[in-house]
Amino acid sequence: MSNPVRVGVAGLGRMGRLHAYNLAERIRRAELVRVVDAELQIAQEVADELRTDASSSFEDLVEDPTIDAVVLVTPTVLHVPMIVAAAAAGKHIFCEKPLGLDIAEAERALTASRSSGVKLQIGFHRRFDPNWKVARTHIETGELGHVMLFRTSLRDKGPPTDQFLSGPLRFLAETSIHDFDTARWMIGEVEEISVFGNAISEEVKRAGDVETAVIVLRFESGALGVIDNSRSARYGYECNTEVLGSRATVRVGNNRRNDVEWLHDGRAVRFLVDDYIGRWPHAYLAEMDDFVSAVADERSVSVTGEDGLAALMLAKAADLSLRAKRQVRVGHRFERGSVFYEIIE
Amino acid sequence: MSNPVRVGVAGLGRMGRLHAYNLAERIRRAELVRVVDAELQIAQEVADELRTDASSSFEDLVEDPTIDAVVLVTPTVLHVPMIVAAAAAGKHIFCEKPLGLDIAEAERALTASRSSGVKLQIGFHRRFDPNWKVARTHIETGELGHVMLFRTSLRDKGPPTDQFLSGPLRFLAETSIHDFDTARWMIGEVEEISVFGNAISEEVKRAGDVETAVIVLRFESGALGVIDNSRSARYGYECNTEVLGSRATVRVGNNRRNDVEWLHDGRAVRFLVDDYIGRWPHAYLAEMDDFVSAVADERSVSVTGEDGLAALMLAKAADLSLRAKRQVRVGHRFERGSVFYEIIE
Amino acid sequence: MSNPVRVGVAGLGRMGRLHAYNLAERIRRAELVRVVDAELQIAQEVADELRTDASSSFEDLVEDPTIDAVVLVTPTVLHVPMIVAAAAAGKHIFCEKPLGLDIAEAERALTASRSSGVKLQIGFHRRFDPNWKVARTHIETGELGHVMLFRTSLRDKGPPTDQFLSGPLRFLAETSIHDFDTARWMIGEVEEISVFGNAISEEVKRAGDVETAVIVLRFESGALGVIDNSRSARYGYECNTEVLGSRATVRVGNNRRNDVEWLHDGRAVRFLVDDYIGRWPHAYLAEMDDFVSAVADERSVSVTGEDGLAALMLAKAADLSLRAKRQVRVGHRFERGSVFYEIIE
Amino acid sequence: MSNPVRVGVAGLGRMGRLHAYNLAERIRRAELVRVVDAELQIAQEVADELRTDASSSFEDLVEDPTIDAVVLVTPTVLHVPMIVAAAAAGKHIFCEKPLGLDIAEAERALTASRSSGVKLQIGFHRRFDPNWKVARTHIETGELGHVMLFRTSLRDKGPPTDQFLSGPLRFLAETSIHDFDTARWMIGEVEEISVFGNAISEEVKRAGDVETAVIVLRFESGALGVIDNSRSARYGYECNTEVLGSRATVRVGNNRRNDVEWLHDGRAVRFLVDDYIGRWPHAYLAEMDDFVSAVADERSVSVTGEDGLAALMLAKAADLSLRAKRQVRVGHRFERGSVFYEIIE
């Protein structure tokens, strides 16, 4: 058996802790060497539980010559500088979405990883969910025929707290970005994007932000796409997708937490998940397993930094459409096997 | 257009009122001539609403020479005498299940209707539900192959009130009887029956009655059947059926009141029906429409008095099995195209 | 009992025959006096089956002084002239959607019915479906909170035949118009509309028509709406609706033809309906029953000619948005209790 | 971090390979030391894939002093001798169900493990499925009230091959035994058991075996239970459970392979799993993880050898009921915290 991939995790919010747990307990080919959080106490608690080391300094990951890879689950603003530092130190990188909120910055991260020859994988976990994989296979085999419509809903429980109210770009780049990636991955490249948003609660209105977004895509293939996102669905967290084809249609359901029905007082109740952690534990494990395998087997990652940049560009175009109240056309070119988007008008 | 079938309804509980409404408003070939209830005030209210005549005396139906048919929705104990009287007066008869609780009495009713040449239809409405009809068609066409298992659940909300606590026979003959008829109609004749019952609530225990019954059938064809009934399901009313065949399986779902999902506070809620009235309005209409057509077109009824007697015999055998704690074998013979059951041992 | 409402039906395609059947057999307060079709043989067949009279001339309805009301199920282009003629003769009118394809013409129909004092009801049957009624009630009671998003899908099996390829307006005015009415009825008045369409099949492309449409609405209340329509879904006919509120969310499902599951060869199969006739028989009956009651009881109709005009205006605005590739703003004013839309820009 | 638990797996059919994979790749606290199969080539293939050692001799596990625990996935007839040998060598044991087909033999295995002080866990994986755990919790908290009815279905795709046709006991002890354990675990101890079986296919009839079984249980608490099992369901593999209580009812659904719906040609299709391997991968992982933790943490196992013996006794009583065509009463006593069943009459 080859040596395990030695990994450090930076950022120990709920998502970071889940990645750390999977690396420590569920992925045989990985060894969790160290966990880092700005708050040392948190890092120490996680380290104790997972029987690994703790630190409050990201440098302790970058400068450790025994570490092969880092997993970045830090605030978005730290993604690019951490990628640049890790790449310079020759560490492979798994980075949560989005790459950042600024295109030039994100490009800098890509350049850094590319020139250092390290792998960079972005956390678009939905590509690793078996339901979406099955649906995509139905498209790829041609069974579905020509895609006419891609429809997807993503609902966060919310409502957003003050901390998350900083204009629609953040919502589009942090939440809708999953749908942009899913759209590209399942259907293909996008030509035009139109966004409509609203806010109901006073706090969100005051902040000039949106709670609900409807995003219409026109794909290069002629297919239409429609995404609806809510960050205040209140009832729970849900995600579903439907692809209408000229031969057949495929639908991925909300896939609730369990298949238990509770019958009481004239009601049949199904219990919903609260958030993405409850909805996708298997996909978070699968994406990390895949990243570790890519490092161990010295193969390409399945979700590239360029995929992260493409989705971010769509979020930017979406933000422009929302502000300018018009359709925004985007173009793309291929370079070295990767797609690069630009806003045309 | 032929003259409408002139009908009188006796017994104006909820079920009787529904039949009266359907005859008055929804079945073009019927004319509701008179409604009868022991309480004249109730009869008058219903008559006013449906623009027909009222009476507190069943004789007013039997003696009215302009009436073609009577619909009996009276207490079970009155079924046989009313059938005998109506048959003597040459009226066609639709009678709610069960024919009675006594076999000899029930046979008397059949003899009366047969010798008078009047039609007698029993209220096994499930035969008129489109879902069960589709399922039965799958069996009849042979698509399902040989039937290996028939499984059905019937759940009343309950719990039973004192008035309904009078020993298991009544439960078996009033509730399970629908399943006995469905079993015969879908699968065929029965050879052996075994019944298991229990009671949880103190009132039911004291009355020596049962709340839950599990009934195992062995069909002549070799198929097994299993019925579970509860008269105290509390959460609501439900009925579903499944037939497992050697080629395929068919399943009729609970078919809830509506296809609306209410998402709130971490729960996805479907609302259930309260009772049979909420569950089968379409089937009650269809069976009455069919009865009226049988009279108008002078053809045989779809559910005969003999079907009513067969189901009652199975209820009797079930009661014996429950009391004697053993399997009960039943036999049957055919006479004039109808089946007649007897308890063998 | 008051005299029945005497009704004539014009146009005996599948929908016309269903309305005629319901009037003849299922609606006690109606009497079907005559059926009319341009092809006399068709009219005669239907008349024979329903035991009524036949004619190939619409004048035979208008000029018959014993007729109270007419039901128009004729081609769209005939709606306005027939309404005008029927109104002049003092007949109440039930007219299938759309009123027409031309606003000025449609206004002429409204003026005619208003000045003659006859009732005019438009065939927006979804308002009579119990599922949608339940959903709307959840909104009206305030249980759902503020509406954030209205989402609805309508899928015709298609693909459209040559006869139906005549530009997107027809699709928007014949199909999407149901969603425009549902949107207004459930959520309220619309301020802005944006439409995106595509075509995959060569025939549809050549005709300059669309197969799929995504329509985004902005309501006066601030709510967003998104409608997706396909006229070539191939797999079957479906319609579902979801309303996301600040307190709860309600979802009306596809409510398939039956609740039967067929399990065979590794698959659990539910059978779908083919078209609107299979999907909404109960709603078609309920709307006609309601129209007959409105005439009999001399009360207002539930879906007015003005509702028909409002939905048609939204279809016009939708068509403009699609052609001009931009958001179209609409305004509305109230007159005599009815809403009147206009395109602002 | 404590040393990993060193495990050997014996028997490399599909189930054995899955356990070996989980031990090698998914359970951090375990180390897969060696895999054994009577066919050395199979053992070698699995060992190569999982980077461990191979052997064709069970002695190589028992005699290896570095091995802490063995996992027995061998034919039923080998379970007892292997348990006895492993216990004698001081190895902890995870054994697939059933313990054996002979009570005295099974008792010998329990005595051996108990006197050697080694842990013995039986492979009743359903206890580790999150859906069944949730359902059981609803019962334990009292939310469900008194249990009135336990209903469960287990369907193997089958049909059984010659190799598996050896009389009903084997079916009851290999398949229904899961339901006996689930019944005890969710509801409590059993007092009476009645079994009904049939066979449709000629091969099964000739072998004197059954294809379908209906099993009725009466629990000590007064609750009734009904199990239906088919080893020839053909359409696929399914398992579901329902518990009807005096306050509420809980239902665990069939929990299909995925939440994808394929809409084509008038059908909405869900794809089914083929067998238990497709249905329960998470539960097989969880039970093995739990066993490894019990060894590592030196705590009791969650499913004991006594649980295995109790379920086997119920299978024996079931077999007697089927052959004698009568209800069979069973009694039980507690010793050292475990339950021991006996057949009373």
Side-chain angles (χ1 to χ4, degrees):
Chain A
M1 178 172 161
S2 60
N3 289 330
V5 176
R6 293 174 55 85
V7 188
V9 172
L12 296 173
R14 291 181 62 218
M15 193 71 222
R17 271 174 284 181
L18 178 58
H19 283 318
Y21 170 83
N22 282 334
L23 288 161
E25 297 290 334
R26 290 281 170 223
I27 299 171
R28 187 53 165 255
R29 301 175 80 181
E31 183 173 339
L32 180 64
V33 178
R34 189 171 293 120
V35 291
V36 174
D37 195 87
E39 300 229 29
L40 182 59
Q41 195 187 333
I42 288 176
Q44 197 59 58
E45 281 169 18
V46 172
D48 289 350
E49 191 190 325
L50 300 176
R51 290 175 290 254
T52 188
D53 289 340
S55 166
S56 63
S57 161
F58 181 62
E59 282 68 41
D60 286 349
L61 295 185
V62 174
E63 293 168 6
D64 180 341
T66 77
I67 283 186
D68 300 310
V70 296
V71 170
L72 307 178
V73 207
T74 48
T76 299
V77 68
L78 297 178
H79 288 175
V80 170
M82 284 182 166
I83 289 170
V84 170
K91 310 300 187 200
H92 301 294
I93 304 151
F94 178 99
C95 180
E96 271 303 330
K97 37 55 56 180
L99 263 175
L101 294 177
D102 181 273
I103 298 292
E105 280 285 288
E107 284 172 342
R108 196 160 68 89
L110 260 66
T111 304
S113 67
R114 210 181 296 127
S115 61
S116 307
V118 299
K119 298 176 198 309
L120 172 59
Q121 180 169 333
I122 308 300
F124 291 135
H125 62 275
R126 214 184 296 167
R127 295 194 186 199
F128 296 90
D129 179 279
N131 297 292
W132 269 268
K133 285 167 93 162
V134 164
R136 185 174 183 255
T137 300
H138 282 304
I139 301 172
E140 281 190 316
T141 58
E143 289 171 277
L144 192 116
H146 294 289
V147 173
M148 300 191 285
L149 179 68
F150 164 81
R151 199 196 60 64
T152 200
S153 290
L154 181 57
R155 310 272 169 77
D156 271 328
K157 193 168 181 176
T161 53
D162 281 2
Q163 172 192 2
F164 282 93
L165 292 174
S166 58
L169 176 59
R170 192 155 172 205
F171 176 35
L172 295 164
E174 302 252 11
T175 298
S176 314
I177 203 164
H178 283 295
D179 296 311
F180 297 140
D181 184 66
T182 302
R184 290 187 56 241
W185 175 64
M186 292 183 87
I187 314 297
E189 304 304 341
V190 171
E191 269 186 1
E192 189 190 281
I193 189 163
S194 308
V195 185
F196 307 83
N198 72 0
I200 297 292
S201 79
E202 288 308 317
E203 298 87 327
V204 182
K205 277 184 187 166
R206 259 199 306 277
D209 211 336
V210 298
E211 279 179 294
T212 316
V214 172
I215 302 167
V216 182
L217 305 175
R218 190 180 295 277
F219 293 91
E220 201 183 13
S221 67
L224 285 172
V226 58
I227 298 167
D228 69 76
N229 291 154
S230 168
R231 60 206 297 194
S232 327
R234 258 73 162 202
Y235 63 85
Y237 176 94
E238 277 189 339
C239 183
N240 63 68
T241 293
E242 180 183 28
V243 184
L244 188 72
S246 60
R247 288 201 188 140
T249 284
V250 69
R251 204 172 273 162
V252 179
N254 287 311
N255 199 24
R256 283 148 187 184
R257 187 174 60 192
N258 58 36
D259 191 6
V260 174
E261 198 171 48
W262 177 247
L263 300 131
H264 179 59
D265 194 22
R267 289 154 187 245
V269 176
R270 298 283 308 267
F271 298 94
L272 307 177
V273 296
D274 261 9
D275 61 11
Y276 50 91
I277 300 273
R279 178 69 168 83
W280 315 97
H282 54 282
Y284 293 127
L285 173 57
E287 70 174 353
M288 196 55 70
D289 203 30
D290 189 69
F291 171 66
V292 168
S293 297
V295 173
D297 300 340
E298 298 182 16
R299 62 161 172 80
S300 303
V301 295
S302 305
V303 192
T304 65
E306 286 78 7
D307 289 321
L309 181 60
L312 182 60
M313 277 299 295
L314 291 174
K316 280 280 181 185
D319 182 54
L320 172 57
S321 168
L322 186 67
R323 283 183 292 111
K325 291 178 174 282
R326 64 170 173 85
Q327 303 172 9
V328 170
R329 291 189 53 221
V330 292
H332 61 272
R333 63 193 154 75
F334 285 90
E335 267 182 43
R336 295 181 305 276
S338 295
V339 72
F340 292 89
Y341 270 89
E342 59 185 339
I343 293 173
I344 294 181
E345 64 172 51
Chain B
M1 176 173 162
S2 58
N3 290 331
V5 176
R6 294 174 55 86
V7 187
V9 172
L12 296 174
R14 291 181 63 219
M15 194 69 223
R17 272 174 283 181
L18 179 58
H19 283 317
Y21 170 82
N22 283 334
L23 287 161
E25 296 290 334
R26 289 283 172 223
I27 299 171
R28 186 53 164 253
R29 301 175 80 181
E31 183 174 340
L32 180 65
V33 178
R34 188 171 296 119
V35 290
V36 174
D37 195 87
E39 300 228 29
L40 182 59
Q41 194 186 334
I42 288 177
Q44 196 58 58
E45 281 170 20
V46 173
D48 288 350
E49 191 191 325
L50 300 176
R51 289 174 290 257
T52 188
D53 288 341
S55 165
S56 63
S57 162
F58 181 61
E59 281 68 42
D60 286 349
L61 295 185
V62 174
E63 294 170 4
D64 181 340
T66 75
I67 283 186
D68 300 309
V70 295
V71 170
L72 306 179
V73 208
T74 48
T76 298
V77 69
L78 298 178
H79 288 177
V80 171
M82 284 181 167
I83 288 171
V84 171
K91 310 300 187 199
H92 300 294
I93 304 152
F94 177 99
C95 180
E96 271 303 328
K97 37 52 59 181
L99 263 176
L101 295 178
D102 182 274
I103 298 293
E105 280 285 289
E107 284 171 343
R108 196 160 67 89
L110 259 67
T111 304
S113 66
R114 210 181 296 127
S115 60
S116 307
V118 300
K119 299 177 197 306
L120 171 59
Q121 180 168 330
I122 307 300
F124 290 135
H125 62 275
R126 214 185 296 167
R127 296 195 187 199
F128 296 90
D129 179 278
N131 296 292
W132 269 269
K133 285 167 93 160
V134 164
R136 185 173 182 256
T137 301
H138 281 303
I139 300 172
E140 282 190 316
T141 59
E143 289 172 278
L144 192 115
H146 294 289
V147 173
M148 299 191 286
L149 179 68
F150 164 80
R151 199 196 62 63
T152 200
S153 291
L154 180 58
R155 310 271 170 78
D156 271 329
K157 193 169 184 180
T161 53
D162 281 3
Q163 172 193 2
F164 282 93
L165 293 174
S166 56
L169 176 60
R170 190 153 172 206
F171 176 35
L172 294 164
E174 302 252 12
T175 298
S176 314
I177 203 164
H178 284 296
D179 295 310
F180 296 141
D181 183 66
T182 302
R184 288 186 59 240
W185 175 64
M186 292 184 87
I187 314 298
E189 303 305 340
V190 171
E191 268 186 2
E192 187 189 282
I193 188 163
S194 308
V195 185
F196 307 83
N198 72 1
I200 297 293
S201 78
E202 288 308 317
E203 297 87 328
V204 182
K205 276 184 189 169
R206 258 198 308 276
D209 211 336
V210 297
E211 279 179 295
T212 316
V214 171
I215 302 167
V216 182
L217 305 174
R218 191 180 296 277
F219 293 91
E220 200 181 14
S221 67
L224 285 172
V226 58
I227 298 167
D228 71 76
N229 290 154
S230 169
R231 61 206 296 194
S232 328
R234 258 75 163 201
Y235 63 84
Y237 176 94
E238 276 188 339
C239 183
N240 63 67
T241 293
E242 181 184 26
V243 185
L244 188 73
S246 60
R247 287 202 187 139
T249 285
V250 70
R251 203 172 272 161
V252 179
N254 288 310
N255 199 21
R256 283 150 184 181
R257 188 174 59 194
N258 58 35
D259 192 6
V260 173
E261 197 172 49
W262 176 249
L263 300 131
H264 178 60
D265 194 22
R267 289 154 187 244
V269 176
R270 298 283 308 267
F271 298 95
L272 307 177
V273 297
D274 261 8
D275 61 11
Y276 50 91
I277 299 273
R279 178 69 169 82
W280 315 97
H282 53 285
Y284 293 127
L285 173 57
E287 68 175 354
M288 196 55 70
D289 203 29
D290 189 69
F291 172 66
V292 169
S293 298
V295 172
D297 299 341
E298 299 182 15
R299 63 159 170 81
S300 303
V301 295
S302 305
V303 192
T304 64
E306 286 78 6
D307 288 321
L309 180 61
L312 182 61
M313 276 299 293
L314 291 174
K316 280 280 181 185
D319 182 53
L320 172 58
S321 169
L322 186 67
R323 284 185 291 110
K325 291 180 174 283
R326 64 169 173 87
Q327 303 171 9
V328 170
R329 290 188 55 221
V330 292
H332 61 271
R333 62 191 156 77
F334 284 90
E335 266 181 44
R336 296 181 305 275
S338 295
V339 74
F340 292 88
Y341 270 88
E342 59 186 338
I343 293 175
I344 295 181
E345 63 174 50
Chain C
M1 177 174 162
S2 60
N3 290 330
V5 176
R6 294 174 54 84
V7 187
V9 172
L12 296 174
R14 291 181 62 218
M15 194 70 223
R17 271 173 285 181
L18 179 58
H19 282 318
Y21 170 82
N22 283 334
L23 288 162
E25 297 290 333
R26 289 283 172 222
I27 299 171
R28 186 53 164 252
R29 301 175 80 180
E31 183 174 340
L32 181 64
V33 178
R34 189 171 295 120
V35 291
V36 174
D37 196 86
E39 300 227 30
L40 182 58
Q41 195 187 334
I42 289 177
Q44 196 58 57
E45 280 168 21
V46 173
D48 288 350
E49 191 190 324
L50 301 176
R51 288 175 291 256
T52 186
D53 289 340
S55 164
S56 63
S57 162
F58 181 62
E59 280 69 42
D60 285 348
L61 296 186
V62 175
E63 292 169 6
D64 179 341
T66 75
I67 284 186
D68 300 309
V70 296
V71 170
L72 307 178
V73 207
T74 48
T76 299
V77 69
L78 297 178
H79 288 176
V80 170
M82 284 182 167
I83 289 171
V84 170
K91 311 300 186 199
H92 300 295
I93 304 151
F94 178 98
C95 181
E96 270 304 328
K97 37 55 55 180
L99 262 174
L101 294 177
D102 182 273
I103 298 292
E105 280 285 289
E107 284 171 342
R108 197 161 67 88
L110 260 67
T111 304
S113 67
R114 209 182 296 125
S115 60
S116 307
V118 299
K119 298 177 197 308
L120 172 58
Q121 180 168 331
I122 307 300
F124 290 134
H125 61 275
R126 215 185 296 166
R127 296 194 185 200
F128 296 90
D129 179 278
N131 297 292
W132 269 269
K133 285 167 93 161
V134 164
R136 184 173 183 256
T137 300
H138 282 304
I139 301 172
E140 282 189 316
T141 58
E143 289 171 278
L144 192 117
H146 294 289
V147 173
M148 298 192 285
L149 179 68
F150 164 80
R151 199 196 61 63
T152 201
S153 290
L154 180 58
R155 309 272 170 78
D156 271 330
K157 193 168 183 179
T161 53
D162 282 3
Q163 173 193 2
F164 282 92
L165 293 174
S166 57
L169 175 60
R170 189 152 174 208
F171 176 34
L172 295 164
E174 302 253 11
T175 299
S176 314
I177 204 164
H178 283 296
D179 295 311
F180 296 140
D181 183 67
T182 302
R184 289 187 57 241
W185 175 64
M186 292 184 87
I187 314 297
E189 303 304 341
V190 171
E191 268 186 2
E192 188 189 281
I193 188 163
S194 308
V195 185
F196 307 83
N198 73 0
I200 297 293
S201 79
E202 288 308 316
E203 298 86 329
V204 182
K205 278 184 186 168
R206 259 199 306 276
D209 211 336
V210 298
E211 279 179 295
T212 315
V214 172
I215 302 166
V216 182
L217 305 174
R218 191 179 295 278
F219 293 90
E220 200 181 15
S221 68
L224 284 172
V226 57
I227 297 166
D228 70 76
N229 291 154
S230 169
R231 62 205 297 193
S232 327
R234 259 72 164 203
Y235 64 85
Y237 176 94
E238 277 189 338
C239 182
N240 62 68
T241 292
E242 181 183 26
V243 184
L244 189 72
S246 60
R247 287 200 187 142
T249 284
V250 70
R251 203 171 274 161
V252 179
N254 288 311
N255 199 22
R256 283 149 186 181
R257 186 174 61 192
N258 57 35
D259 192 6
V260 174
E261 197 172 50
W262 177 247
L263 300 131
H264 179 59
D265 194 22
R267 290 155 186 243
V269 176
R270 298 283 308 267
F271 298 94
L272 308 177
V273 296
D274 261 9
D275 62 10
Y276 50 91
I277 300 272
R279 177 69 168 84
W280 315 97
H282 53 285
Y284 293 127
L285 173 57
E287 69 175 354
M288 195 55 69
D289 203 29
D290 189 70
F291 171 67
V292 169
S293 297
V295 173
D297 299 341
E298 298 182 17
R299 63 161 171 79
S300 303
V301 295
S302 304
V303 191
T304 65
E306 285 78 6
D307 289 321
L309 181 60
L312 182 60
M313 277 299 293
L314 290 174
K316 280 280 181 186
D319 182 54
L320 172 57
S321 168
L322 186 67
R323 284 184 292 109
K325 291 178 173 284
R326 64 169 174 86
Q327 303 171 7
V328 169
R329 291 189 53 222
V330 293
H332 61 271
R333 62 191 156 76
F334 285 90
E335 266 182 45
R336 294 180 306 275
S338 297
V339 72
F340 292 89
Y341 270 88
E342 59 185 337
I343 293 174
I344 295 181
E345 63 173 51
Chain D
M1 175 175 162
S2 60
N3 290 330
V5 176
R6 293 174 55 85
V7 187
V9 171
L12 296 173
R14 292 181 62 218
M15 194 70 222
R17 272 174 284 182
L18 178 58
H19 283 318
Y21 170 83
N22 282 334
L23 288 162
E25 297 289 334
R26 290 281 171 224
I27 300 172
R28 187 54 163 254
R29 301 175 80 180
E31 184 174 339
L32 180 65
V33 178
R34 189 172 294 121
V35 291
V36 174
D37 195 87
E39 299 228 31
L40 182 60
Q41 196 187 333
I42 289 175
Q44 196 59 56
E45 281 169 20
V46 173
D48 289 350
E49 191 190 326
L50 300 176
R51 289 175 291 256
T52 188
D53 289 340
S55 166
S56 63
S57 162
F58 181 60
E59 281 68 41
D60 286 348
L61 295 185
V62 174
E63 293 168 5
D64 180 341
T66 76
I67 284 186
D68 300 310
V70 295
V71 170
L72 306 179
V73 207
T74 47
T76 299
V77 69
L78 297 178
H79 288 176
V80 171
M82 284 182 166
I83 289 171
V84 171
K91 311 301 188 199
H92 300 294
I93 304 152
F94 177 100
C95 181
E96 270 303 328
K97 38 54 58 178
L99 263 176
L101 295 177
D102 182 273
I103 298 292
E105 280 286 287
E107 283 171 343
R108 196 162 68 90
L110 259 66
T111 304
S113 67
R114 210 182 294 126
S115 62
S116 307
V118 299
K119 299 176 198 309
L120 172 58
Q121 180 168 332
I122 307 300
F124 291 135
H125 62 274
R126 215 185 295 167
R127 295 195 186 199
F128 296 89
D129 179 279
N131 297 292
W132 270 269
K133 286 167 92 162
V134 164
R136 186 173 181 255
T137 301
H138 282 302
I139 301 171
E140 282 189 316
T141 59
E143 288 171 277
L144 192 115
H146 295 290
V147 173
M148 300 191 285
L149 179 68
F150 164 80
R151 198 195 61 64
T152 200
S153 291
L154 180 58
R155 310 271 170 78
D156 271 328
K157 193 169 183 178
T161 53
D162 282 2
Q163 173 192 3
F164 283 93
L165 293 175
S166 57
L169 175 60
R170 191 155 173 205
F171 176 35
L172 294 164
E174 302 253 11
T175 298
S176 314
I177 203 164
H178 284 295
D179 296 311
F180 296 140
D181 184 66
T182 301
R184 289 186 58 240
W185 174 64
M186 292 184 86
I187 314 297
E189 303 305 340
V190 171
E191 268 186 1
E192 188 189 281
I193 189 163
S194 308
V195 185
F196 307 82
N198 71 0
I200 297 293
S201 78
E202 288 308 317
E203 298 87 328
V204 182
K205 277 183 187 168
R206 259 198 306 277
D209 211 336
V210 298
E211 279 179 294
T212 315
V214 171
I215 302 167
V216 182
L217 305 175
R218 191 180 296 277
F219 293 91
E220 201 182 13
S221 67
L224 285 172
V226 58
I227 298 167
D228 70 76
N229 290 155
S230 169
R231 61 206 296 194
S232 327
R234 259 73 163 203
Y235 64 84
Y237 176 94
E238 277 189 337
C239 183
N240 63 67
T241 293
E242 181 183 28
V243 185
L244 189 73
S246 59
R247 286 201 188 141
T249 284
V250 70
R251 202 171 275 161
V252 179
N254 287 312
N255 198 23
R256 283 150 186 181
R257 187 173 62 193
N258 57 36
D259 191 5
V260 173
E261 198 172 48
W262 177 248
L263 300 131
H264 179 60
D265 193 23
R267 290 155 185 245
V269 177
R270 299 283 309 266
F271 298 94
L272 307 177
V273 296
D274 260 9
D275 61 11
Y276 51 91
I277 299 273
R279 178 69 169 82
W280 315 96
H282 54 283
Y284 293 127
L285 173 57
E287 69 174 354
M288 196 55 69
D289 203 30
D290 189 70
F291 172 66
V292 168
S293 298
V295 172
D297 300 341
E298 299 182 14
R299 62 160 172 80
S300 303
V301 295
S302 305
V303 191
T304 65
E306 286 79 6
D307 289 321
L309 180 60
L312 182 60
M313 276 299 295
L314 291 174
K316 279 280 181 187
D319 182 53
L320 172 57
S321 169
L322 186 67
R323 283 185 292 111
K325 291 179 174 284
R326 65 170 174 85
Q327 304 172 9
V328 169
R329 290 189 54 220
V330 292
H332 61 272
R333 62 192 156 76
F334 284 90
E335 267 181 43
R336 296 180 307 273
S338 295
V339 73
F340 292 89
Y341 271 89
E342 58 185 340
I343 293 173
I344 294 181
E345 64 173 50

